[in-house]
Amino acid sequence: RALPRRSEARVSEGEGAASGVSGGSGQANGITVGPEALRVLRCFVPALIDERLAAGQAGLWVSEHRVITTVFLKLLGLGRKPCQPATLGSTHAAVRGVQEAFSSRGGAVLRLITDDKGTRFLVAF
């Protein structure tokens, strides 16, 4: 069976996230999601979408135009080579600092990449 398009994959009204009930259960396309799985999966839903669902706007098309700003950030000095951070602790502290600095100003870290080019972030406001 072909995968449904996003517009077809909806949680039934009045269940789980669609009614804003934390820990409920939901059903989409005949697949039932238990309360524990729903709680875990909700961390992947953007806060704006979760707010819309909690307000009962499930299944509605909401057209919005927003001005956004993106920031590309590269961390330097984590180790001898860009692709080899010295310690997990220093890397964790640096990543946490970036997350806290941007989230306190309304930004969200969309991507964190560590590869041969170093440790880089994509942040959006």
Side-chain angles (χ1 to χ4, degrees), residues 6-7 9 19 30 35 37 41 46 49 54 56-57 61 67 75 80 84 88 94-95 102-103 115 119-120 122 124-125:
R6 282 186 162 218
S7 61
S19 63
L41 293 172
I49 302 300
Q57 296 179 358
W61 175 259
V67 176
L75 291 181
R80 286 186 17 233
Q84 296 177 347
L88 181 60
V95 170
F102 283 107
S103 66
D115 59 12
T119 301
R120 297 166 291 143
L122 171 59
F125 289 92

Side-chain angles (χ1 to χ4, degrees), residues 73-78 82 90-91 94-95 98 112 117-121:
L73 173 73
K74 181 176 181 177
L75 291 181
L76 300 173
L78 293 177
S90 64
T91 303
V95 170
V98 169
L112 166 61
K117 295 175 184 74
T119 301
R120 297 166 291 143
F121 291 86

Side-chain angles (χ1 to χ4, degrees), residues 58-77:
L60 297 177
W61 175 259
V62 179
S63 178
E64 293 183 3
H65 297 278
R66 294 176 176 230
V67 176
I68 65 165
T69 300
T70 56
V71 176
F72 295 91
L73 173 73
K74 181 176 181 177
L75 291 181
L76 300 173

Side-chain angles (χ1 to χ4, degrees), residues 91-121:
T91 303
H92 176 73
V95 170
R96 185 174 181 161
V98 169
Q99 288 174 322
E100 289 174 353
F102 283 107
S103 66
S104 68
R105 291 165 178 82
V109 175
L110 302 180
R111 290 223 168 82
L112 166 61
I113 302 167
T114 299
D115 59 12
D116 62 326
K117 295 175 184 74
T119 301
R120 297 166 291 143
F121 291 86

